[in-house]
Amino acid sequence: MGLFTRRSQDTDAASSLATLPVDPALAALTGDYVIDPAHSSIGFTVRHAMVTNVRGSFAEHEGGLHLDGADPSRSTASIDVKIASVDTGIADRDGHLRSGDFFDAEAFPLMTFRSTGAAQLGGDAYRITGDLTIKDVTRPLSIDLEFNGSATDVYGNERVGFEGSAEILRSDWGLTWNAALETGGVMVSDKVKLTFDISAIKQA
């Protein structure tokens, strides 16, 4: 079951697409959703000292989705992440990440994403495009997502689920702090993998 339709490249294709019947199961998902932070996670992985990976997450975030089952290409997503909630399991490292060397959480408390489009890659795989803002830099970002389906939980909440990832170069957002290693290379890789595991609840 698809959530987003691939944008047509010509008028004939668009006309043909418009005549396709709407999937009733998909249409039933239409509405506004709030991300449930208690059952969602936003994380990252970065190479450390050229030999291992450090993983972390942001404990505090909020956002919403609008799903349009009749015209899935009009669906949207937004999320705000509280930088000060970064957690890698090491207090000193988390403090360094919050400092001016990295995120400067006091001056720039939020990292935000606002979608601008979506495309179906096949089956339940999608690519969501949008604008990612870190500190005072906004740049485009594409996130590959898997739609995990929908369900009604034991409390009667209608939920949808997505998981996905994206890779960025942190230097593109002005996060350039590093230290050279005596053996060559640097302390922290430029490439960062972002991960998303989202559960969202439909609003009445």
Side-chain angles (χ1 to χ4, degrees):
M1 177 174 59
L3 280 181
F4 303 95
T5 54
R6 191 183 300 276
R7 289 188 180 275
S8 174
Q9 299 301 310
D10 56 70
T11 302
D12 290 341
S15 178
S16 297
L17 184 61
T19 64
L20 293 176
V22 175
D23 182 343
L26 176 60
L29 297 179
T30 296
D32 295 318
Y33 294 75
V34 171
I35 293 174
D36 176 9
H39 297 95
S40 302
S41 64
I42 298 174
F44 60 89
T45 303
V46 63
R47 200 78 168 162
H48 177 261
M50 311 295 291
V51 298
T52 190
N53 290 317
V54 168
R55 293 176 174 81
S57 63
F58 295 94
E60 297 181 40
H61 51 83
E62 62 182 21
L65 312 172
H66 174 74
L67 302 183
D68 189 327
D71 185 0
S73 66
R74 297 178 63 182
S75 298
T76 59
S78 65
I79 191 163
D80 295 336
V81 177
K82 189 175 181 180
I83 293 296
S85 71
V86 65
D87 182 7
T88 65
I90 302 294
D92 287 346
R93 182 166 59 207
D94 296 343
H96 192 198
L97 290 172
R98 296 183 189 107
S99 76
D101 283 345
F102 285 95
F103 290 111
D104 196 357
E106 184 173 348
F108 305 99
L110 293 179
M111 173 172 62
T112 66
F113 177 78
R114 300 291 184 267
S115 69
T116 57
Q120 184 175 8
L121 304 181
D124 288 330
Y126 302 89
R127 180 165 293 148
I128 306 301
T129 56
D131 293 324
L132 176 67
T133 300
I134 302 175
K135 299 175 80 170
D136 58 350
V137 179
T138 299
R139 294 181 61 88
L141 177 69
S142 295
I143 305 172
D144 288 338
L145 291 170
E146 185 81 10
F147 174 51
N148 288 338
S150 60
T152 301
D153 66 22
V154 295
Y155 302 105
N157 297 312
E158 296 181 53
R159 292 178 178 268
V160 292
F162 300 87
E163 60 181 313
S165 63
E167 288 189 352
I168 66 171
L169 298 178
R170 61 188 179 91
S171 60
D172 287 344
W173 280 266
L175 303 175
T176 58
W177 183 92
N178 228 321
L181 302 175
E182 292 183 4
T183 53
V186 293
M187 181 69 74
V188 184
S189 67
D190 192 19
K191 184 170 71 175
V192 179
K193 181 178 181 181
L194 304 175
T195 56
F196 307 86
D197 200 342
I198 302 297
S199 178
I201 299 173
K202 191 174 186 179
Q203 302 302 287

